[in-house]
Amino acid sequence: KYAQMSDFQMMLYFENLLDSLQSAGINVVLFQVRPQCDAWYKSSYEPWSCFITGKQGKNPGWDPLFYLTEACHRRNMDIHAWINPYRVKLTVKESDYKEPFVRKYRHLMVKYGRSLWLDPGLPESQRHILRVVREIVRNYDIDGIHMDDYFYPYPLAGQAFPDDKS
């Protein structure tokens, strides 16, 4: 949905949404800044999200997290950055294995069903998540950080998550 919007349309959408939330008495916004090892913010560690422009790694030319942080604070609303810590791709395609992030960190990933995940048991995966969180809290005036409520995917019938080695 967002990838088909121009920058101006997306900003206007967010402004209208925040106005509606403020009118409803909402004082905290949770913004999903990292849906799957990608970023809705300028990151040194992960690519721009395909959900912004339609192409993984394509710089949108503006910083949605910075924009929303400023817009929330103008309305006296808090903003919390919400991340999915280990999900790499919800539905992995063969072409995803060619993306720079996946190529660089493939040794940390496991495939489970149709999804690709960082293996939570690997210390290097844990360090990567810590770097990501540290980058967000150092570079943005956010009021909180949330990790998604699951670290492992929902179980698939007859398939164990392949983390025996870690």
Side-chain angles (χ1 to χ4, degrees), residues 93-148:
K93 302 179 299 278
E94 195 60 37
S95 61
D96 293 331
Y97 291 103
K98 296 176 183 165
E99 290 179 1
F101 180 85
V102 175
R103 282 197 327 261
K104 181 177 180 179
Y105 293 105
R106 184 66 184 104
H107 63 288
L108 302 178
M109 299 176 192
V110 294
K111 188 168 188 242
Y112 184 62
R114 296 174 18 185
S115 301
L116 200 57
W117 298 81
L118 292 178
D119 185 339
L122 296 175
E124 191 176 345
S125 293
Q126 297 163 14
R127 283 190 298 273
H128 180 73
I129 300 307
L130 288 172
R131 282 190 301 268
V132 165
V133 170
R134 206 174 291 123
E135 178 178 59
I136 294 168
V137 299
R138 285 183 177 160
N139 294 338
Y140 295 90
D141 187 22
I142 60 168
D143 303 294
I145 194 132
H146 291 259
M147 291 210 182
D148 204 305

Side-chain angles (χ1 to χ4, degrees), residues 54-72:
K55 182 169 175 30
Q56 188 85 348
K58 183 179 178 188
N59 186 334
W62 65 294
D63 187 326
L65 179 55
F66 179 81
Y67 183 85
L68 280 166
T69 300
E70 295 292 310
C72 284

Side-chain angles (χ1 to χ4, degrees), residues 9-71:
Q9 288 171 320
M10 195 180 302
M11 290 175 194
L12 186 60
Y13 170 81
F14 287 139
E15 291 290 337
N16 291 331
L17 181 60
L18 291 174
D19 286 343
S20 295
L21 292 171
Q22 185 181 35
S23 293
I26 302 297
N27 62 2
V28 177
V29 172
L30 275 68
F31 178 51
Q32 189 174 31
V33 301
R34 188 180 181 271
Q36 50 183 24
C37 289
D38 55 2
W40 277 73
Y41 58 93
K42 187 176 187 314
S43 176
S44 300
Y45 302 110
E46 297 184 311
W48 284 103
S49 179
C50 65
F51 299 113
I52 306 170
T53 62
K55 182 169 175 30
Q56 188 85 348
K58 183 179 178 188
N59 186 334
W62 65 294
D63 187 326
L65 179 55
F66 179 81
Y67 183 85
L68 280 166
T69 300
E70 295 292 310

